[in-house]
Amino acid sequence: MPMRSCDKTYTITEYGGFTRGAALHGYQGLPEKTFDALEAFILANSTDSDTEAVELLSLSARRGVGKIITARNYVGLITMADGTVIEILPKIAGGDTTVGDTKRIFLEMLKTLKDVTFKDFNVSQLHTERLNLLEIFIKMFLDEVSILTKQGLKAAYTPVEENERFYKGKLLASQNIKHNLVSHERFFVRYDDFSINRPENRLIKSTLGFLLKATGDVGNRRTVARLLSFFDGVNYSKSVGSDFSKCFVDRSMTHYDKALSWCRVFLSGNSFTAFAGSEIALALLFPMEKVFESFVAAKFRRHIGDGINLRTQDARYSLFDSPTRAFALRPDLVLEFGGKTIVMDTKWKLLSDNARNHGISQSDMYQMYAYSKKYDSDCIVLLYPHSDNVSISEFRYASDDNVNVDVSFIDLRNSDSSIANLIAKVC
């Protein structure tokens, strides 16, 4: 879908919301046309059982406020067809945490996901205070293409069928009769042409052309214009789907992988999630529960010492074993060392002293209890992100049948220190 450049970015955090028109009662106002388009997006997806838009955004009404669109458990960005960018950022606890800090932490967390295209990107080089998420993702793609152009664009032999002035290749008799029955000075032929006009380069050029219109950042626009000059001998893609199907998968093209992954993101209109909606140009949305789980696992891999075996998403046990295994147990982290077993689960939720049981759900505790019994574990740990609303740094729930569940926190502003201290305590 075409997308016009627009300088307007609306930023909220998880569980924040928008009102239609003016801002009211702590909700951010959205232009009526944009609000209506976003509402249509929610309604288009909420009836489709194959999508999860109902978990992404909710639509409600409140007396004195009117309709409210509230973000839920997905974070990322939604870009509207008119270029308006809606950022949904995670809630990172800490009174001194800026929007720029939040984006930096969020991007570092995203790098640990399996299917993202920017695992090696240096987030510290980004201007997270100045750029919205769309411009950051555009810059990541442009940096990948810049690397390609320095290495030299790959050329390939591609079949060409043309009515030429000179005979070369193979004459296509029926086509030649059709086109040249009168004009005998031409030949309709098929031949192989060695050029950079191959599917991979067409897709990259098409993405650059799309982003030239989509970006509102002067630096990104300047970079796009410069990179397009390297693709002078390349056509824009006439069929994106067809060109993706023609991309070669071999060792000589592996350096194209990241750039082409970004092409899929921008040209297909969505990634990581599949949402419908004619008013949505791009939806890059990530479930924070999965992001937090992946991030913590990656940090544990980095910090655990020799002699500790780490299992992630361990599936050895089920709640019941007969007549067949049923109700699989799948804890996020299992640490094994010296005959001991420690089971950990991550939960993306800000706890509070003001909530019953600090906001820990009963179903989560049932789950921890089952882990303790099945794993005969020495220690069960529930891991939450740090919350300013909890006065103690860790606490324990204990039962009289020797099930102990420790609750600990990861400070995302200093995650390495938090993880290292936790490992020192449990191991």
Side-chain angles (χ1 to χ4, degrees):
M1 172 185 290
M3 183 167 64
R4 299 193 301 276
S5 175
C6 179
D7 295 331
K8 194 60 180 174
T9 300
Y10 297 89
T11 302
I12 57 173
T13 56
E14 295 171 275
Y15 303 101
F18 293 110
T19 52
R20 188 175 186 270
L24 293 168
H25 299 283
Y27 295 102
Q28 187 171 170
L30 267 186
E32 293 182 1
K33 185 176 180 181
T34 303
F35 186 98
D36 293 342
L38 202 54
E39 178 183 359
F41 169 64
I42 297 169
L43 296 175
N45 286 280
S46 60
T47 56
D48 188 345
S49 60
D50 293 330
T51 66
E52 299 175 274
V54 74
E55 295 183 18
L56 160 71
L57 298 165
S58 65
L59 182 65
S60 61
R62 181 178 166 188
R63 184 178 298 175
V65 179
K67 290 182 179 179
I68 302 169
I69 291 176
T70 306
R72 297 190 68 181
N73 64 334
Y74 276 74
V75 296
L77 69 91
I78 301 171
T79 302
M80 314 301 287
D82 65 359
T84 300
V85 177
I86 294 172
E87 289 183 323
I88 305 170
L89 299 179
K91 277 191 173 182
I92 306 296
D96 57 347
T97 305
T98 66
V99 171
D101 292 335
T102 299
K103 290 179 187 176
R104 179 183 55 77
I105 293 169
F106 175 47
L107 291 169
E108 288 288 359
M109 296 174 76
L110 285 185
K111 286 170 63 174
T112 65
L113 290 176
K114 288 183 179 180
D115 299 326
V116 297
T117 60
F118 48 92
K119 290 182 181 294
D120 302 323
F121 201 88
N122 189 347
V123 174
S124 64
Q125 295 177 349
L126 295 171
H127 301 290
T128 53
E129 298 83 2
R130 181 175 62 84
L131 298 175
N132 64 40
L133 286 177
L134 174 63
E135 300 296 351
I136 289 172
F137 289 137
I138 289 175
K139 188 178 188 305
M140 289 178 178
F141 168 71
L142 297 180
D143 285 356
E144 291 296 337
V145 179
S146 294
I147 293 171
L148 282 182
T149 58
K150 290 175 182 176
Q151 295 174 336
L153 299 180
K154 281 283 187 178
Y157 285 103
T158 55
V160 177
E161 294 184 5
E162 291 289 349
N163 204 21
E164 302 283 3
R165 290 184 178 276
F166 302 97
Y167 183 89
K168 55 181 175 179
K170 179 182 178 181
L171 183 71
L172 300 179
S174 60
Q175 294 285 69
N176 192 57
I177 293 172
K178 178 180 178 181
H179 291 87
N180 301 322
L181 188 60
V182 177
S183 304
H184 297 291
E185 72 278 5
R186 287 184 174 272
F187 306 91
F188 204 98
V189 292
R190 176 190 295 141
Y191 60 92
D192 288 330
D193 181 43
F194 189 72
S195 75
I196 61 172
N197 187 30
R198 58 184 298 169
E200 295 86 351
N201 292 333
R202 289 196 295 271
L203 290 166
I204 293 173
K205 182 172 184 177
S206 297
T207 306
L208 289 170
F210 169 74
L211 295 179
L212 187 62
K213 299 176 182 177
T215 182
D217 179 70
V218 174
N220 279 346
R221 187 179 294 115
R222 188 184 302 119
T223 303
V224 172
R226 178 179 62 81
L227 291 174
L228 278 171
S229 66
F230 290 92
F231 291 80
D232 283 345
V234 179
N235 298 331
Y236 286 100
S237 179
K238 294 179 180 178
S239 172
V240 170
S242 176
D243 275 343
F244 272 122
S245 69
K246 294 174 184 175
C247 289
F248 284 102
V249 182
D250 60 41
R251 214 179 288 175
S252 68
M253 294 296 293
T254 54
H255 59 300
Y256 269 72
D257 287 349
K258 290 181 181 178
L260 288 174
S261 294
W262 277 116
C263 290
R264 290 185 184 275
V265 171
F266 291 117
L267 296 180
S268 300
N270 56 64
S271 180
F272 312 105
T273 48
F275 296 113
S278 60
E279 296 298 327
I280 303 299
L282 185 68
L284 284 170
L285 304 161
F286 308 84
M288 273 308 297
E289 191 76 40
K290 294 292 184 185
V291 174
F292 184 56
E293 170 193 312
S294 174
F295 180 70
V296 171
K299 289 294 183 181
F300 264 88
R301 289 190 194 97
R302 180 183 298 179
H303 286 282
I304 59 172
D306 295 334
I308 300 177
N309 181 40
L310 173 65
R311 297 173 180 266
T312 58
Q313 295 296 305
D314 188 47
R316 282 176 291 176
Y317 298 108
S318 296
L319 195 58
F320 299 101
D321 301 304
S322 63
T324 58
R325 292 183 62 185
F327 304 102
L329 299 176
R330 196 179 292 269
D332 295 333
L333 300 165
V334 176
L335 280 66
E336 297 169 321
F337 58 96
K340 294 184 177 181
T341 300
I342 296 174
V343 181
M344 298 185 177
D345 235 27
T346 60
K347 302 296 178 184
W348 180 255
K349 184 177 184 180
L350 292 180
L351 300 186
S352 172
D353 290 338
N354 297 324
R356 184 179 181 183
N357 296 322
H358 302 282
I360 300 170
S361 74
Q362 190 157 325
S363 60
D364 286 344
M365 277 302 183
Y366 285 154
Q367 190 179 35
M368 299 306 106
Y369 191 91
Y371 289 162
S372 179
K373 292 298 184 182
K374 282 293 181 176
Y375 281 84
D376 191 22
S377 174
D378 303 272
C379 183
I380 303 291
V381 183
L382 264 176
L383 291 175
Y384 290 89
H386 165 77
S387 172
D388 291 335
N389 295 320
V390 177
S391 57
I392 50 179
S393 59
E394 58 184 14
F395 48 91
R396 167 175 287 186
Y397 289 92
S399 70
D400 57 8
D401 58 349
N402 297 318
V403 173
N404 299 314
V405 178
D406 292 328
V407 177
S408 295
F409 300 92
I410 305 296
D411 188 345
L412 295 173
R413 297 164 299 174
N414 195 0
S415 56
D416 286 300
S417 177
S418 282
I419 296 290
N421 289 338
L422 179 62
I423 291 173
K425 289 176 183 176
V426 300
C427 298

